Structures are given as structure tokens and as C-alpha cells.
Amino acid sequence: MEPTFSIAEISKSTGLSYDTIRYYEKIGLLPPVSRKENGQLEYEKSDLDRLIFITHLKKTNMPLKEIERYMTWASDQNYVSCYNVLYEHKLKIETQMRKYKRL
């Protein structure tokens, strides 16, 4: 059986606040999280991995709407569309880099 994590452990591992983690769940970036018998949220390793990936995307200034598109297609196993989202974002970053290099 895989280990599970509390929201406190997830927050500590990702640097995200409880509110941000709950918000990401609310807007669908995370699949619904199960609850223990006492009502406490119980996150799986895949949830932690997903949140770490989201934080990496956010550090590149990818908008949440684009991250949502990516996560939807990842859930649907539409990997070509996932690649396209990442590739489009890469092109935007490269354009910004060229622009800043000219300054």
C-alpha cells in the first residue's frame, strides 16, 4: 500500500499554502481527494507529484488556465495535446528571453 499524506505534509513538501492546495483541488487541477474516517484529507503520492509539477509550471509563469488544460489532457491520456501545451509555453518563454536580451 502506498503512503498517504496529510495536507500539512503536502504543504511542507510543495511550499503551497493549505488554501492554495484546496483551491487547486476545487478548480480541478487535482482529482478529488479521499478522506480518512475522521474526515481529514488524505493525499496520495500521485497528488504530491502532481502538485510539485504544478509548482514547477507556475515558476515558469504558465497561467493556471494553461495548467488546467494540460492536466485535463493528461487525465485523458491525450499526450500529444499535453506536449503541445508545453511546447507553446516554451515558445512564449523563448520569445520573452529574446525580447529581454535586446534590452
Side-chain angles (χ1 to χ4, degrees):
M1 186 168 175
E2 277 196 43
T4 58
F5 305 91
S6 69
I7 194 166
E9 292 168 319
I10 294 288
S11 177
K12 185 176 181 181
S13 296
T14 62
L16 298 171
S17 70
Y18 293 15
D19 288 338
T20 299
I21 295 166
R22 288 185 188 116
Y23 177 69
Y24 286 173
E25 183 184 351
K26 179 181 176 183
I27 64 172
L29 292 180
L30 281 178
V33 178
S34 61
R35 292 187 179 269
K36 294 180 181 181
E37 289 179 14
N38 65 2
Q40 203 175 34
L41 292 171
E42 185 174 48
Y43 295 88
E44 297 178 7
K45 172 91 169 73
S46 60
D47 298 321
L48 174 61
D49 292 342
R50 183 180 280 235
L51 284 168
I52 289 170
F53 184 67
I54 290 168
T55 60
H56 290 312
L57 293 176
K58 287 295 294 169
K59 287 178 185 175
T60 69
N61 292 320
M62 182 181 273
L64 276 180
K65 286 289 180 198
E66 291 300 304
I67 296 172
E68 285 180 70
R69 277 191 338 148
Y70 179 92
M71 292 302 173
T72 298
W73 283 325
S75 295
D76 294 342
Q77 297 181 346
N78 184 340
Y79 301 121
V80 170
S81 294
C82 289
Y83 172 83
N84 289 336
V85 169
L86 295 177
Y87 185 75
E88 289 170 17
H89 187 62
K90 174 186 173 276
L91 293 177
K92 288 177 189 175
I93 291 170
E94 289 173 344
T95 300
Q96 288 176 338
M97 290 173 62
R98 281 192 300 276
K99 182 175 140 184
Y100 292 133
K101 206 172 195 179
R102 283 186 246 139
L103 295 177

